[in-house]
Amino acid sequence: MSTRVALISHPDCGRHDTGWEHPEHVGRLVAIPRALKHDLALFEALEHVEGRHATEAELALAHDAAYIERVRTLVEQGGGRLDPDTVVSEGSWDAVTAGAGCVLDGVDRAFDGRAVRNFSAVRPPGHHALRDRAMGFCLFGNVAVAARYAIAKYGCERVLVVDWDVHHGNGTQALVEDEPRIHFVSMHQWPWYPGTGAADDHGPHNTVWNVPMPPSLPSVQYVQALLGAVDAATAKWTPDLVILSAGFDCLDGDPLGAFTLTLDDVHTLTRALVERAERWCGGRLVSALEGGYAPKLLAQAVLVHLRALG
């Protein structure tokens, strides 16, 4: 690795207890250090960081204060269900604030030079969360909050958000599409949950590039489609920061999707974004875990991603 990459996480992310029968369970995160301990060279090349918790004011960069309070209150009452797929437990407030805080820590490190590229291994994921409600395993939009944080704290004029999760990042789109300084690219399976992300949906400022793709294509077609959209989104528009929603449910074999991407494709896509970030913005690339529901496969993909970030 030519660039030292930070692996950011927080033990509180494991306190979000969905139950082992739920696809988004704590085993997704546990699998990553378990795999990493078998790759000593990569382990030693990374900077291992315990992230911080986001504040309610930081969450409010993208979410309604009343919704934030509703989540916190439900957790304090012992937990419950926010939508048919999304539950909270007594540890979920600590988990969701740690998840968002790790990604904000990644933005800080990208700008102060401590780790211009970093990956946050966090849960629950965030890219389906809306301004005032939870959706699809997601409570708060970690990446959307981070994009708005980069603008608020560092005065960014152009933030590129890329989402390669197999599901459309409807929450991220909803939370950033009114901000013309953010360009959003999402490649996702179509038709598939949540049923949004049509190709002609460009948002109110024409700052959204949705790439709906059918399942089971040769993986090179997904790679080409995503990178083509990234290049379209950055034509005559140079990002100050790249934020990646790294959902590894896009991989062949994930139980919640039918894309065919391989570990080699993860390397190819990661390197392509790294090379673009080097040209655009001093290499600043902040990556955060979204989906990925086959834990061993997820962990292998994360290791490939971490190597390619360096």
Side-chain angles (χ1 to χ4, degrees):
M1 300 173 76
S2 58
T3 296
R4 190 162 176 83
V5 173
L7 172 58
I8 307 172
S9 194
H10 196 289
D12 281 350
C13 289
R15 300 194 61 220
H16 178 59
D17 183 5
T18 58
W20 286 102
E21 298 303 314
H22 194 286
E24 203 292 288
H25 58 70
V26 69
R28 300 175 63 236
L29 279 194
V30 171
I32 297 171
R34 184 174 291 163
L36 192 55
K37 72 180 183 181
H38 297 294
D39 191 332
L40 185 59
L42 178 59
F43 181 91
E44 292 180 343
L46 297 169
E47 179 184 358
H48 298 266
V49 176
E50 182 174 303
R52 64 176 179 85
H53 290 83
T55 66
E56 291 190 35
E58 288 167 340
L59 296 175
L61 291 169
H63 293 282
D64 287 349
Y67 168 63
I68 297 169
E69 176 66 17
R70 187 160 72 249
V71 172
R72 189 171 61 81
T73 299
L74 184 59
V75 170
E76 289 173 351
Q77 293 170 347
R81 192 170 294 275
L82 287 165
D83 90 336
D85 297 317
T86 311
V87 300
V88 295
S89 67
E90 59 84 24
S92 293
W93 180 257
D94 289 341
V96 295
T97 55
C102 284
V103 188
L104 299 185
D105 194 0
V107 172
D108 289 335
R109 289 172 183 273
F111 276 99
D112 66 23
R114 285 176 294 166
V116 294
R117 288 192 286 280
N118 52 77
F119 172 75
S120 288
V122 294
R123 61 179 291 274
H127 75 151
H128 295 309
L130 300 170
R131 189 172 301 278
D132 60 356
R133 66 185 175 94
M135 182 177 177
F137 312 162
C138 303
L139 280 75
F140 296 121
N142 303 327
V143 162
V145 171
R148 289 187 171 274
Y149 175 81
I151 291 171
K153 182 167 183 179
Y154 295 101
C156 285
E157 291 297 326
R158 293 169 299 277
V159 179
L160 175 66
V161 177
V162 178
D163 187 331
W164 70 38
D165 190 288
V166 78
H167 305 99
H168 177 235
N170 65 300
T172 303
Q173 177 176 332
L175 296 176
V176 305
E177 66 181 0
D178 65 339
E179 173 49 77
R181 289 172 289 187
I182 302 173
H183 283 194
F184 176 62
V185 176
S186 175
M187 180 183 69
H188 43 274
Q189 184 175 327
W190 178 278
W192 204 233
Y193 182 89
T196 52
D200 60 359
D201 179 3
H202 302 293
H205 299 291
N206 289 312
T207 53
V208 173
W209 283 259
N210 278 314
V211 187
M213 299 287 286
S216 306
L217 296 177
S219 69
V220 66
Q221 294 189 35
Y222 299 117
V223 172
Q224 292 172 346
L226 179 61
L227 295 180
V230 168
D231 289 341
T234 55
K236 300 180 181 179
W237 188 90
T238 303
D240 302 314
L241 173 69
V242 180
I243 306 180
L244 173 64
S245 274
F248 295 107
D249 46 7
C250 61
L251 287 166
D252 187 20
D254 190 276
L256 296 192
F259 275 3
T260 58
L261 290 157
T262 66
L263 296 177
D264 284 345
D265 296 321
V266 170
H267 180 270
T268 297
L269 286 171
T270 305
R271 288 307 306 168
L273 291 177
V274 166
E275 289 161 6
R276 286 163 173 75
E278 291 282 8
R279 296 200 307 268
W280 293 330
C281 54
R284 287 190 291 268
L285 197 166
V286 174
S287 180
L289 180 63
E290 297 283 2
Y293 302 102
K296 288 183 179 180
L297 180 61
L298 164 67
Q300 290 176 317
V302 168
L303 267 58
V304 170
H305 184 53
L306 287 166
R307 287 189 208 98
L309 285 172

